[in-house]
Amino acid sequence: MNREFRQTVIAGNWKMNMLASEVNAFSERLGTLVPGFRDWCGVVVCAASVLLPAAVKAFESIGVGVGAQNMNQHESGAYTGEVSAGQLADIGVGYAIIGHSERRELYSETDATVNQKVLATLKSPLRPIVCVGESLSQREIGVTGDIVAMQIKMALHGVAAEEVRKVIIAYEPIWAIGTGKTATPEDAQEVCRAVRNILASLYSDEIAKVITIQYGGSMNEKNALELLAQPDIDGGLIGGASLRPESFAAIINAANQ
């Protein structure tokens, strides 16, 4: 991390877990475990759409932001079952995960769709958390850098320099999501540094220096300290460990370096 230039952001992705009736208790417990986190990082919880109103209400009192796990790229229209950036912002949501590998793999989201969603968030108050990452086979044949570069370039196509500062990039190696496998701190740093270099090539060194880059992929309370000690890892996008207040709090505390 380098808080001199950019914000550390710890974001939990609850995926299709938790009930609305459980959100208040989670918030209250987290608030007692990390009462001073705002001195060292931003914290976000990304919940299923049905939980978002309850999450906004519960987390506001402890200063935790709330994010959506997905959104539609259109402002409005005949898109049954979808929600727009404007609808999310209207209820107090501040972030949206864009291009998570599960959305890409299970729901056939393309790089072009990811780009459309990024542009839609930037027209709204939402901050996009844009996910990039390689599969195990891509890693094994040595094209991690190529894959990540392509995903970033396509996701940010048409995004102006003054807008890109709002974007958070989350490097999530697909082979490490939900598997318990984690890139070594050195490997994660190498790719996150490559991400920053790509941003510099697209914009400038000055802009790349201020953009938050998270690591995801089985970050937990045991490995967070080592991962967050890397100079180009500015936070985490946390899956399973974000469902337990104690584990999530330990990761947030690990950001207090």
Side-chain angles (χ1 to χ4, degrees), residues 2 39 58 66 77 86 105 107 130 133 138 148 167 173 188 207 217 220 224 227:
N2 191 329
D39 293 335
V66 173
E105 181 179 357
Y107 301 99
V130 182
Q138 289 165 341
V148 169
V167 175
I207 288 175
N220 55 50
L227 287 163

Side-chain angles (χ1 to χ4, degrees), residues 35-77:
F37 70 85
R38 279 171 281 189
D39 293 335
W40 64 83
C41 71
V43 176
V44 181
V45 168
C46 299
S49 293
V50 70
L51 304 182
L52 291 173
V56 168
K57 183 177 180 181
F59 286 114
E60 183 179 19
S61 63
I62 65 169
V64 170
V66 173
Q69 297 173 6
N70 183 39
M71 50 156 280
N72 192 273
Q73 61 268 39
H74 299 283
E75 291 184 13
S76 61

Side-chain angles (χ1 to χ4, degrees), residues 24-213:
N24 274 335
F26 185 102
S27 174
E28 290 171 3
R29 179 62 175 152
L30 186 66
T32 62
L33 292 168
V34 281
F37 70 85
R38 279 171 281 189
D39 293 335
W40 64 83
C41 71
V43 176
V44 181
V45 168
C46 299
S49 293
V50 70
L51 304 182
L52 291 173
V56 168
K57 183 177 180 181
F59 286 114
E60 183 179 19
S61 63
I62 65 169
V64 170
V66 173
Q69 297 173 6
N70 183 39
M71 50 156 280
N72 192 273
Q73 61 268 39
H74 299 283
E75 291 184 13
S76 61
Y79 304 103
T80 300
E82 295 291 294
V83 292
S84 70
Q87 290 172 323
L88 293 169
D90 188 57
I91 63 169
V93 173
Y95 300 78
I97 298 174
I98 306 294
H100 192 280
S101 64
E102 291 162 358
R103 298 295 312 176
R104 295 178 190 252
E105 181 179 357
L106 300 176
Y107 301 99
S108 303
E109 289 195 6
T110 65
D111 289 318
T113 306
V114 170
N115 175 243
Q116 292 169 352
K117 291 184 177 187
V118 170
L119 294 174
T121 61
L122 294 174
K123 291 178 182 177
S124 78
L126 301 185
R127 289 190 71 183
I129 301 174
V130 182
C131 298
V132 299
E134 82 284 12
S135 67
L136 181 58
S137 62
Q138 289 165 341
R139 184 175 187 83
E140 287 176 340
I141 63 174
V143 295
T144 294
D146 298 320
I147 296 297
V148 169
M150 180 186 69
Q151 290 173 337
I152 292 172
K153 289 176 181 179
M154 294 190 72
L156 299 182
H157 179 68
V159 176
E162 60 269 20
E163 296 175 316
V164 77
R165 297 170 186 265
K166 283 179 62 178
V167 175
I168 296 170
I169 303 290
Y171 167 57
E172 288 202 309
I174 297 169
W175 50 270
I177 298 173
T179 64
K181 299 178 180 178
T182 310
T184 67
E186 295 75 19
D187 287 343
Q189 161 60 22
E190 181 181 2
V191 180
C192 289
R193 181 61 192 168
V195 169
R196 204 171 305 283
N197 288 338
I198 295 161
L199 294 169
S201 71
L202 292 174
Y203 298 98
S204 69
D205 290 339
E206 197 64 31
I207 288 175
K209 188 166 61 176
V210 302
I211 293 178
T212 297
I213 300 173

